[in-house]
Amino acid sequence: MQNSKVLITENVHELLLRGLAAMGYQCTYEPGISADTVQQIIHSYSGLIVATRIAVNKPIIQAAKRLRFIARAGSGMENIDTESAALQGISCINSPEGNANAVGEHAVGMLLAFYHNIVKADAEMRQAKWLVEDNRVHELEGRTVGIIGYGNTGKSFARKLAPFNMRVIAFDKYLLEYSDLYAQAVDMQQLFEEADIISLHVPLTPETQRLADDYFFQQCRKPIFFMNTSRGKVVDHRSLLRFIQQEQISGAALDVYENEQFETHSEEERQTFNALIATNKVIMTPHVAGKSYESKRKIAEVLLTKIKSIS
């Protein structure tokens, strides 16, 4: 590993730096570095670690004359041009195992927050409003949860639902024989017919972009509670808004959004976002489902294991 250097563009757990150093890598730790600067200096690095902020596009990859691996701290590879990387013999890895538990817990928290009126009741109590009947809750027991995408986070969510005595069904186009103790594998038609709650756990690909659109929601046989902790662009938020306003969706929980840079919102994006808030039926968090203190270390552990296997 002599003279092997790794450029780290994000805030990562110190364990990752120590582990890479122990493998013989020299680490350049530059959280907040710009994509333009990455492109200018990448020629001298054999490893690159990114999260969602830096798009590792074709120009960066073409400038990476010595690069052997690109590591994504987290799940998803949509911001990495994996085809260009493969053409140059660059290995691409990610670490969805590291934050799966955090995402599963967050999804359960959002589910409870909606059905038990926790957000609404908290806001009212802060205004000295004691509204007991207005906040009578709905129990989760006996409801059917439909999980689309039964990978790391989908399975984590399903496992955490077991104590609630709910029925969990799942659909994953790319898996075979994936029924387990926590979920029953079904096709999409059955999921749409039976689910009271639908939760997305899919990567962002050309196939899944705007997966949840008018056609998607029209197939639901009952008013569902809709959840997305995967990627914002798998949902058409204008469709989501329409179906909430038409009461064909009872509510939603969102951790991810089509455009997560508020300052760059178009007028239509701003209006849609504000209208979703105005329904008082949407719980929102700022893409933090997988960002626990514990997952930061777990992601480092996963990346170290995978980098060691390809070094």
Side-chain angles (χ1 to χ4, degrees):
M1 295 293 177
Q2 190 174 6
N3 297 323
S4 292
K5 297 167 61 179
V6 176
L7 176 61
I8 302 172
T9 67
E10 299 294 337
N11 185 351
V12 299
H13 197 279
E14 62 181 13
L15 174 67
L16 183 57
L17 282 77
R18 294 201 307 266
L20 288 169
M23 282 188 244
Y25 287 105
Q26 299 175 36
C27 295
T28 301
Y29 188 44
E30 291 286 349
I33 190 172
S34 70
D36 287 342
T37 303
V38 171
Q39 185 175 338
Q40 292 168 15
I41 66 175
I42 195 62
H43 61 87
S44 63
Y45 289 90
S46 54
L48 174 63
I49 295 176
V50 299
T52 56
R53 193 176 54 81
I54 298 291
V56 188
N57 54 24
K58 189 173 183 178
I60 288 178
I61 291 170
Q62 288 179 332
K65 304 303 182 183
R66 301 176 57 193
L67 204 61
R68 295 201 303 270
F69 71 83
I70 301 167
R72 164 78 163 85
S75 60
M77 300 286 272
E78 69 274 5
N79 61 318
I80 300 172
D81 185 343
T82 54
E83 291 184 5
S84 293
L87 290 173
Q88 291 191 197
I90 301 169
S91 298
C92 295
I93 59 176
N94 62 350
S95 48
E97 305 91 338
N99 62 7
N101 184 71
V103 174
E105 287 187 4
H106 195 87
V108 171
M110 296 179 99
L111 192 59
L112 284 167
F114 180 79
Y115 278 91
H116 283 250
N117 290 330
I118 292 171
V119 176
K120 174 178 175 292
D122 176 79
E124 291 168 353
M125 288 292 289
R126 292 169 190 269
Q127 299 175 52
K129 295 180 180 179
W130 188 272
L131 303 175
V132 176
E133 282 303 318
D134 286 353
N135 287 296
R136 189 174 289 276
V137 307
H138 294 278
E139 296 183 16
L140 297 179
E141 186 174 64
R143 297 182 188 276
T144 297
V145 178
I147 296 175
I148 299 177
Y150 203 56
N152 291 283
T153 64
K155 289 178 182 177
S156 174
F157 184 38
R159 286 195 298 270
K160 287 165 178 54
L161 292 174
F164 293 97
N165 294 321
M166 305 179 78
R167 178 170 177 252
V168 182
I169 55 179
F171 172 78
D172 194 308
K173 182 177 179 179
Y174 297 99
L175 294 178
L176 297 172
E177 304 297 331
Y178 53 94
S179 290
D180 58 21
L181 291 174
Y182 306 102
Q184 172 194 352
V186 298
D187 59 30
M188 280 290 278
Q189 181 179 352
Q190 185 176 348
L191 189 144
F192 282 128
E193 289 177 354
E194 299 179 5
D196 301 296
I197 298 150
I198 293 180
S199 185
L200 299 187
H201 298 267
V202 297
L204 177 60
T205 67
E207 185 177 24
T208 63
Q209 186 157 354
R210 294 200 168 181
L211 168 71
D213 57 6
D214 282 359
Y215 178 71
F216 178 98
F217 294 124
Q218 285 167 358
Q219 294 181 83
C220 298
R221 295 295 179 261
K222 61 181 84 172
I224 61 160
F225 179 64
F226 178 77
M227 305 176 65
N228 186 20
T229 54
S230 59
R231 288 293 184 266
K233 290 182 179 179
V234 304
V235 178
D236 184 331
H237 286 73
R238 292 167 299 179
S239 294
L240 176 63
L241 174 62
R242 280 194 295 272
F243 279 79
I244 291 174
Q245 291 173 333
Q246 296 166 10
E247 299 185 348
Q248 291 173 276
I249 296 177
S250 60
L254 304 175
D255 182 58
V256 288
Y257 310 88
E258 287 181 288
N259 183 353
E260 297 184 353
Q261 302 298 321
F262 286 173
E263 65 275 11
T264 68
H265 274 193
S266 66
E267 181 63 20
E268 182 180 39
E269 287 172 330
R270 185 186 63 80
Q271 289 180 357
T272 300
F273 186 82
N274 290 339
L276 284 168
I277 293 172
T279 66
N280 291 320
K281 294 180 179 181
V282 183
I283 296 172
M284 297 181 174
T285 53
H287 201 157
V288 295
K291 295 180 177 65
S292 68
Y293 289 104
E294 293 80 7
S295 70
K296 193 174 183 180
R297 182 183 181 92
K298 292 175 184 177
I299 286 170
E301 292 171 343
V302 171
L303 286 181
L304 286 173
T305 299
K306 293 185 178 182
I307 292 170
K308 187 175 183 178
S309 71
I310 62 176
S311 296

